[in-house]
């Protein structure tokens, strides 16, 4: 898997999943949905460039993306909003990937001023008496401010990322559940940093950071040539200046340093805000408020999704699927009481998971490696019927062959055997709130161009429906997210795509994952 920071989804994959939300149903009457990617102000300029759907219309499947650059000081890798209407309900999602709020020398920000005391505009300089210069006055008054201002450095804001966000996506869903309309929302935030320092993604962060450090001006460092010396009648300026400069030097040495104030930035990050108003649930992924030297730079909402039931009638009209546990779902379409659910090779072992009828709880399942006919692992069936164990990784000469298959057995019960190496595997599958997320890998060589991965949900033992699709990344990894069905605890999903037999081959053939039941509660 890619090493990108991620919560449930990596930032780019999350947005790719939004773009691939299913479009099987063009509209859902009476449901309302709306999504936005980034809104607020940047340097006082209002923005809301990417929006899908509208709460005043029936929810429909729509996608919107950014077709121009964001205004300074913002930069983003991906900006997307999407709404989806299916038979299961409606889903709105919006977010950004790799968004940065930048500090730049060109920003119209007034830096803190260096204050030169007014008293230094009229400094009395006592002069020594000299018999050779009877017209020399006892003192002169000089203005040190021009020379001190010349010491003030030409300060500019540094070019750096004030705030960096790997990903921020908001989801809001609405569906019928137990004869009533239900709305829910979740936020996914990944990879937050302020001035390159990582910050928590699940709590409010309020930080003051330094962009330009404090400093000081030493008055003794001034260029004496910049000090204007008043003329004295009868004394040549070329004679007077060295006398005044020599008398001024100890005065300069006694003056205190003049402070150069630091330039500070204030950043506040607020993840996961949710509100409900007049029946509309709005989920926000992340609010970013940033200022430099007390002057607003950005006030943004990243990822916004809203749903409402409108006038939806959730009275029974469509058949409600029977809820089942993941174990029951794994055994629902077989007469066997024992099933291997997954066989997943790891670095030095093979992870084996399975399901058994609850009448077998507490008993020990043997896992047989069919290439040798030997029992390579054992597991005790849990109270819910699940079991899990690991076996040694078989020899390299065998593991890629069709003989490398595993079956579970317990007494007279036998599972179907599963092959160890497959061209597409699911590595994680889970649900958070209304959103199901599946991650996995397609083993290269991929089709050229890369073929879509199609996600289908089992609707009966012989039928299924498409719920999402996404393209794998170049290394074959993928992540896809979609709305969980209503009134179903353990929906079963299977993914398919097309791959090439070898890098030289142009012909593709289909490949599938094993069916996976996901507990959506």
């Amino acid at each position: 898997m890619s090493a990108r920071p991620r919560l449930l989804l990596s930032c780019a994959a999350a947005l790719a999943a939004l773009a691939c939300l299913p479009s099987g149903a063009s509209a859902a009457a009476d449901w309302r949905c709306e999504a936005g990617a980034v809104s607020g102000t940047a340097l006082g300029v209002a923005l809301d460039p990417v929006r899908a759907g509208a709460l005043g219309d029936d929810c429909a499947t729509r996608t919107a993306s950014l077709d121009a650059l964001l205004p300074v000081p913002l930069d983003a890798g991906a900006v997307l909003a999407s709404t989806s209407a299916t038979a299961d309900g409606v889903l709105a999602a919006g977010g950004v990937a790799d968004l940065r709020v930048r500090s730049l020398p060109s920003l119209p920000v007034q830096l803190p001023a260096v204050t030169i005391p007014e008293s230094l505009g009229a400094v009395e300089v006592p002069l020594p008496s000299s018999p050779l210069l009877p017209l020399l006055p006892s003192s002169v008054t000089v203005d040190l401010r021009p020379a001190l201002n010349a010491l003030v450095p030409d300060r500019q804001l540094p070019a750096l990322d004030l705030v960096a966000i790997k990903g921020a996506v908001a989801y809001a869903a609405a569906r019928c559940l137990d004869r009533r309309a239900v709305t829910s929302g979740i936020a996914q935030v990944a990879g937050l940093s302020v001035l390159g320092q990582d910050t928590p993604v699940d709590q409010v962060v309020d930080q003051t950071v330094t962009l330009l450090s404090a400093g000081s001006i030493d008055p003794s460092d001034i260029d004496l040539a910049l000090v204007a010396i008043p003329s004295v009648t009868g004394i040549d300026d070329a004679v007077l200046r060295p006398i005044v400069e020599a008398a001024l030097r100890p005065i300069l040495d006694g003056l205190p340093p003049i402070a150069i104030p630091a330039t500070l930035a204030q950043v506040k990050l607020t993840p996961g805000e949710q509100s409900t108003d007049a029946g509309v649930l709005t989920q926000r992924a992340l609010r970013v408020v940033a200022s430099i030297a007390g002057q607003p730079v950005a006030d943004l909402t990243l990822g916004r999704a809203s749903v409402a039931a409108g006038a939806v009638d959730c009275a029974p009209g469509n058949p409600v699927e029977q809820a089942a546990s993941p174990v029951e779902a794994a055994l629902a379409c077989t007469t066997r009481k024992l099933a291997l659910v997954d066989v997943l090779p790891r670095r030095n072992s093979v992870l084996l998971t399975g399901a058994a009828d609850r009448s077998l709880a507490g008993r020990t399942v043997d896992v047989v490696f069919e290439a040798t006919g030997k029992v390579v692992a054992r597991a005790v069936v849990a109270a819910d019927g699940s079991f899990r164990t690991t076996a040694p990784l078989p020899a390299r000469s065998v593991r890629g062959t069709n003989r490398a298959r595993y079956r579970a057995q317990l007494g007279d019960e036998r599972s179907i055997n599963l092959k160890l190496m497959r061209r597409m595997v699911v590595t994680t599958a889970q649900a958070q709130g209304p959103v199901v997320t599946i991650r996995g890998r397609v083993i290269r060589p991929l089709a050229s161009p890369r073929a879509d991965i199609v996600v289908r949900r089992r609707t009966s033992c012989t039928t299924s429906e498409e719920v999402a699709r996404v393209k794998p990344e170049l290394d074959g990894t993928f992540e896809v997210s979609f709305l969980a069905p209503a009134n179903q605890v353990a929906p079963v999903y299977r993914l398919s795509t097309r791959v090439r037999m070898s890098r030289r081959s142009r012909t593709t053939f289909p490949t599938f994952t094993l069916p996976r039941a996901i507990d959506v509660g």
Side-chain angles (χ1 to χ4, degrees):
M1 291 290 292
S2 168
R4 286 184 240 165
R6 50 170 72 107
L7 186 63
L8 286 182
L9 305 175
S10 72
C11 48
L15 293 171
L18 302 191
C20 296
L21 285 170
S23 57
S26 61
D30 296 320
W31 293 110
R32 302 287 185 261
C33 61
E34 180 180 293
V38 54
S39 60
T41 60
L43 292 175
V45 177
L47 69 155
D48 191 2
V50 178
R51 183 185 294 183
L55 289 173
D57 301 328
D58 287 347
C59 190
T61 298
R62 297 188 177 94
T63 299
S65 59
L66 190 67
D67 56 8
L69 294 176
L70 289 172
V72 173
L74 308 180
D75 187 25
V79 180
L80 196 69
S82 184
T83 58
S84 174
T86 72
D88 289 322
V90 296
L91 176 67
V96 300
D98 295 322
L99 184 136
R100 299 175 295 162
V101 180
R102 307 213 67 210
S103 163
L104 297 167
S106 59
L107 293 187
V109 172
Q110 184 68 43
L111 300 187
V114 177
T115 302
I116 307 295
E118 288 293 328
S119 60
L120 297 183
V123 176
E124 185 176 356
V125 182
L127 300 179
S129 60
S130 172
L132 298 177
L133 297 171
L135 298 178
L136 185 68
S138 61
S139 66
V140 295
T141 300
V142 298
D143 186 353
L144 300 180
R145 290 174 299 181
L148 289 169
N149 280 322
L151 289 180
V152 177
D154 182 16
R155 295 183 303 159
Q156 289 186 325
L157 289 174
L160 48 77
D161 294 341
L162 179 56
V163 183
I165 302 104
K166 279 293 182 184
V169 184
Y171 294 92
R175 53 185 174 172
C176 287
L177 186 65
D178 296 331
R179 303 187 181 186
R180 59 191 178 92
V182 175
T183 58
S184 56
I186 60 170
Q188 297 175 340
V189 180
L192 294 182
S193 65
V194 177
L195 287 190
Q197 297 297 310
D198 291 343
T199 63
V201 299
D202 56 355
Q203 64 188 56
V204 175
V205 173
D206 197 345
Q207 288 188 1
T208 299
V209 294
T210 301
L211 293 180
L212 294 172
S213 299
S216 63
I217 297 170
D218 186 346
S220 64
D221 290 336
I222 65 171
D223 182 354
L224 292 174
L226 297 178
V227 178
I229 297 175
S231 298
V232 174
T233 303
I235 300 179
D236 187 85
D237 287 348
V239 174
L240 180 61
R241 174 166 286 277
I243 297 173
V244 175
E245 289 182 354
L248 183 58
R249 180 62 62 187
I251 295 176
L252 294 174
D253 290 342
L255 292 175
I258 296 170
I260 300 175
T263 300
L264 305 178
Q266 186 75 29
V267 174
K268 186 173 183 180
L269 307 175
T270 307
E273 292 181 318
Q274 186 181 108
S275 62
T276 301
D277 183 26
V280 177
L281 179 141
T282 298
Q283 178 71 57
R284 299 169 184 85
L286 181 69
R287 186 178 179 194
V288 178
V289 179
S291 62
I292 297 177
Q295 299 156 71
V297 172
D299 187 345
L300 308 171
T301 294
L302 305 180
R304 184 184 75 254
S306 301
V307 292
V312 161
D313 181 8
C314 285
N318 296 319
V320 177
E321 297 187 55
Q322 293 297 318
S325 70
V327 169
E328 291 171 339
L331 298 172
C333 294
T334 177
T335 58
R336 300 171 187 261
K337 293 186 177 182
L338 197 62
L340 270 181
V341 172
D342 203 3
V343 176
L344 189 64
R346 298 292 179 89
R347 179 170 296 181
N348 296 308
S349 63
V350 178
L351 175 64
L352 302 123
T353 56
D357 188 277
R358 291 191 181 186
S359 64
L360 301 177
R363 299 181 63 182
T364 300
V365 174
D366 292 335
V367 179
V368 176
F369 184 53
E370 294 201 340
T372 62
K374 295 181 179 180
V375 174
V376 292
R378 290 186 170 90
V380 176
V381 178
D384 66 352
S386 64
F387 62 88
R388 179 186 180 99
T389 186
T390 58
L393 194 66
R396 188 179 300 275
S397 60
V398 177
R399 71 181 67 153
T401 70
N402 202 44
R403 297 169 55 223
R405 292 177 175 270
Y406 295 84
R407 75 171 186 271
Q409 62 184 41
L410 196 168
D412 294 334
E413 295 294 336
R414 300 286 189 277
S415 74
I416 295 174
N417 60 26
L418 297 184
K419 190 176 179 181
L420 174 61
M421 305 302 290
R422 300 181 304 280
R423 291 296 300 272
M424 182 162 59
V425 295
V426 170
T427 53
T428 62
Q430 60 189 31
Q432 184 184 29
V435 179
V436 174
T437 300
I438 297 177
R439 303 187 189 97
R441 178 188 292 273
V442 182
I443 308 303
R444 295 180 292 183
L446 307 179
S448 181
R450 283 171 287 162
D452 284 351
I453 296 170
V454 179
V455 184
R456 302 188 68 87
R457 179 170 64 89
R458 191 170 72 193
T459 54
S460 74
C461 291
T462 57
T463 61
S464 64
E465 65 176 1
E466 180 181 332
V467 295
R469 61 174 58 213
V470 68
K471 284 193 182 296
E473 298 190 28
L474 291 175
D475 64 355
T477 59
F478 65 86
E479 297 187 14
V480 61
S481 184
F482 47 87
L483 183 66
N487 295 320
Q488 193 175 7
V489 172
V492 177
Y493 298 95
R494 196 177 193 192
L495 287 67
S496 65
T497 190
R498 299 188 71 87
V499 294
R500 289 180 291 160
M501 180 66 72
S502 66
R503 290 179 179 173
R504 294 183 179 181
S505 172
R506 307 301 300 177
T507 304
T508 63
F509 65 92
T511 187
F512 301 85
T513 66
L514 294 171
R516 178 67 68 93
I518 301 176
D519 185 358
V520 299

